[in-house]
Amino acid sequence: MTDSTSTAAARLSAPAVMPLRTLDPSAPLDDLEWLDEAIGTARVVAIGESAHYNGETYRLRHRLLRYLVERHGFGAYAMESGFAEGWRTDEWVRGGEGDLGQVLAGGMTSLMGPWTQMRAHLEWMRHHNRTAARPVGFYGADLSGSNASLLPSLDAVIAYLAQADPEYQVDPSIRETAAVFAASSAFSIPAAIGAYAQLATQTKDALTAGLAELTVRMTGRRLEYARRTTAGAYERALRSLHLTITLDALARAMACGDRLTVMFDRAAAIADNLEWILRREDRIVLAAHNGHIQRRPLALPGMPEAATPAGMHLADRLGEDYLVIGTTTGTGQTLNTDADFYTGTLFTQMGPPEPDTLDALMAASHDGPFATDLRRLSPADADAVRAAARQRFGTFHVGLNPLDAYDLIVHLPDVTAAEPDPAALACSPHDVQETFSGWNPR
């Protein structure tokens, strides 16, 4: 291979680069007009991230959401956060009462909420809804309880049954057992898994059987319950119950180290949640990790085989109505995936992208943030992308064919830790406050 050929393969041509003038969500939006042709009639536009909690990713999603709402009538923002908890956030952005710090702390899970960039995002949604003819709602697209605790979704079911069937007494042992391994936040997940593993087999089996009985009762009384409340309230409670059952199964898998089952089942639940939301909303913006939204199998380091991400389910169900915008990064700070994350080392420094990765190709192609449409590349640019058969997900790499996984890519040349929101932290569980108190952002 000649030097000239090697150099040509290391960067995209100028026509493939669509620069983003800024990531400022409040700035004019004319530099995003490439989205008009890109999205077509898509009902779900998924916006990825290489790792959680980067300020630049929050701002990018905020800006893209604003464009899709204002220019294309999108009416929902679904995020990689708990389904049951998300109703509290949705109520607030639609003008409901409550303190935003409490909403950020309790209406979002997996630490997605307590950041100033997320505060700005929700404030814009609430402001938009005050004057817009068509409001934009918020939905949690993920399992509740930071993917570990049954209590938020289970409590939503119990509260509904108290309205729909006040004479019926839910077996108290169901909630008592769930409370034994409840996680108050993402930092509590290891302890929660350990607590579940210590439960007696008969106790675990009784929990599973009790949830099955609840499902049979709610399913059989659908018409009666919907008549006593509303059809929407019933469907929301039944969805919460289905997610509670999934969480129960995931607890079993996590306790025995079966990460692959966890990935498969969680992905299917996310896709089912999106399909549920689509029965209520015409067009949705989905914000989740690249690994969740990609439309090809996901093989993580140390996993025995590749798993099916939510994006594959959505692509199978929606076809061309599903559009995937992945992201790549250059340098900066990324989420720490080592064990000391749980003791306050939340971020770690990234070096320049490794050669022959999608991140390196994008970083070499333009100095600032930019987008490229993978479906409209020249043959030479398509070959360059195809040759970049790995992508960086924070601190590790995964193998993939970007042309199969994504429709578009947005490159962020430098990423930094999001800024903690003091009001949200003050309303957060003690373990969150304690961990953040030991973190030095710089």
Side-chain angles (χ1 to χ4, degrees), residues 219-423:
T219 303
R221 290 164 172 77
R222 179 179 69 87
L223 295 178
E224 183 69 11
Y225 284 179
R227 181 185 63 79
R228 293 177 183 177
T229 58
T230 66
Y234 170 82
E235 294 295 339
R236 187 167 82 178
L238 185 64
R239 185 79 207 121
S240 296
L241 181 52
H242 287 161
L243 295 174
T244 307
I245 292 170
T246 300
L247 281 164
D248 177 50
L250 262 58
R252 288 180 181 269
M254 287 189 288
C256 62
D258 185 359
R259 293 172 58 205
L260 193 60
T261 291
V262 172
M263 291 176 63
F264 271 110
D265 293 353
R266 181 184 175 196
I270 292 173
D272 289 345
N273 284 343
L274 261 292
E275 194 167 35
W276 187 93
I277 298 167
L278 280 171
R279 293 198 290 268
R280 291 149 184 80
E281 304 285 355
D282 290 334
R283 309 185 85 179
I284 300 170
V285 176
L286 170 62
H289 194 283
N290 286 333
H292 291 306
I293 67 171
Q294 67 182 51
R295 52 162 55 92
R296 298 301 298 166
L298 175 64
L300 294 179
M303 299 294 290
E305 61 181 278
T308 302
M312 285 187 68
H313 289 284
L314 293 170
D316 177 66
R317 301 177 193 184
L318 300 176
E320 293 183 357
D321 281 344
Y322 181 58
L323 184 88
V324 187
I325 304 176
T327 62
T328 55
T329 56
T331 58
Q333 297 171 301
T334 191
L335 176 67
N336 176 29
T337 54
D338 291 334
D340 56 349
F341 166 81
Y342 294 97
T343 57
T345 306
L346 304 183
F347 293 86
T348 187
Q349 288 294 130
M350 284 191 303
E354 293 185 6
D356 303 321
T357 62
L358 180 62
D359 304 84
L361 172 67
M362 299 292 283
S365 299
H366 187 66
D367 290 337
F370 73 98
T372 189
D373 192 330
L374 300 179
R375 303 165 303 173
R376 295 175 172 84
L377 297 175
S378 69
D381 286 333
D383 287 342
V385 172
R386 194 176 292 109
R390 293 187 302 142
Q391 182 180 3
R392 182 169 62 186
F393 282 4
T395 59
F396 58 90
H397 291 78
V398 298
L400 82 167
N401 181 344
L403 298 177
D404 292 338
Y406 308 118
D407 296 303
L408 297 96
I409 294 290
V410 173
H411 180 69
L412 301 172
D414 186 68
V415 291
T416 57
E419 181 182 354
D421 186 87

Side-chain angles (χ1 to χ4, degrees), residues 1-12 355-356 361 364 384 387:
M1 181 179 291
T2 65
D3 290 342
S4 61
T5 303
S6 176
T7 300
R11 67 178 65 236
L12 298 173
D356 303 321
L361 172 67

Side-chain angles (χ1 to χ4, degrees), residues 28-257:
L29 301 173
D30 54 290
D31 60 323
L32 299 180
E33 290 178 351
W34 48 268
L35 274 170
D36 297 342
E37 183 178 8
I39 63 172
T41 60
R43 294 193 65 198
V44 175
V45 173
I47 307 170
E49 61 184 357
S50 295
H52 296 320
Y53 322 135
N54 281 127
E56 290 74 16
T57 306
Y58 278 109
R59 296 172 71 209
L60 171 69
R61 287 171 169 169
H62 183 168
R63 196 159 186 258
L64 294 179
L65 173 68
R66 183 184 155 210
Y67 188 91
L68 292 170
V69 169
E70 294 180 357
R71 305 286 181 92
H72 293 275
F74 277 66
Y77 185 68
M79 193 171 185
E80 187 183 334
S81 181
F83 178 86
E85 295 89 343
W87 296 104
R88 180 177 186 180
T89 306
D90 182 68
E91 181 181 1
W92 190 87
V93 300
R94 294 181 189 271
E97 300 294 327
D99 175 72
L100 181 52
Q102 294 177 344
V103 171
L104 291 166
M108 306 179 74
T109 66
S110 302
L111 299 177
M112 296 296 179
W115 310 96
T116 60
Q117 289 84 356
M118 194 67 230
R119 169 181 284 272
H121 204 153
L122 297 185
E123 287 176 334
W124 175 83
M125 294 174 71
R126 183 177 171 103
H127 176 76
H128 170 84
N129 288 341
R130 285 175 179 154
T131 57
R134 178 181 295 180
V136 57
F138 180 95
Y139 292 86
D142 207 349
L143 296 164
S144 296
S146 296
N147 305 301
S149 176
L150 279 61
L151 286 187
S153 53
L154 178 60
D155 284 346
V157 174
I158 294 173
Y160 174 79
L161 286 171
Q163 291 184 310
D165 197 350
E167 296 182 358
Y168 173 68
Q169 178 66 42
V170 177
D171 182 353
S173 68
I174 296 176
R175 193 183 189 284
E176 290 167 3
T177 301
V180 171
F181 61 98
S184 59
S185 79
F187 295 120
S188 304
I189 292 176
I193 296 171
Y196 180 85
Q198 295 300 313
L199 289 173
T201 300
Q202 59 266 34
T203 303
K204 298 174 185 176
D205 292 346
L207 172 61
T208 302
L211 293 174
E213 290 177 5
L214 275 181
T215 304
V216 171
R217 184 177 186 89
M218 281 199 63
T219 303
R221 290 164 172 77
R222 179 179 69 87
L223 295 178
E224 183 69 11
Y225 284 179
R227 181 185 63 79
R228 293 177 183 177
T229 58
T230 66
Y234 170 82
E235 294 295 339
R236 187 167 82 178
L238 185 64
R239 185 79 207 121
S240 296
L241 181 52
H242 287 161
L243 295 174
T244 307
I245 292 170
T246 300
L247 281 164
D248 177 50
L250 262 58
R252 288 180 181 269
M254 287 189 288
C256 62

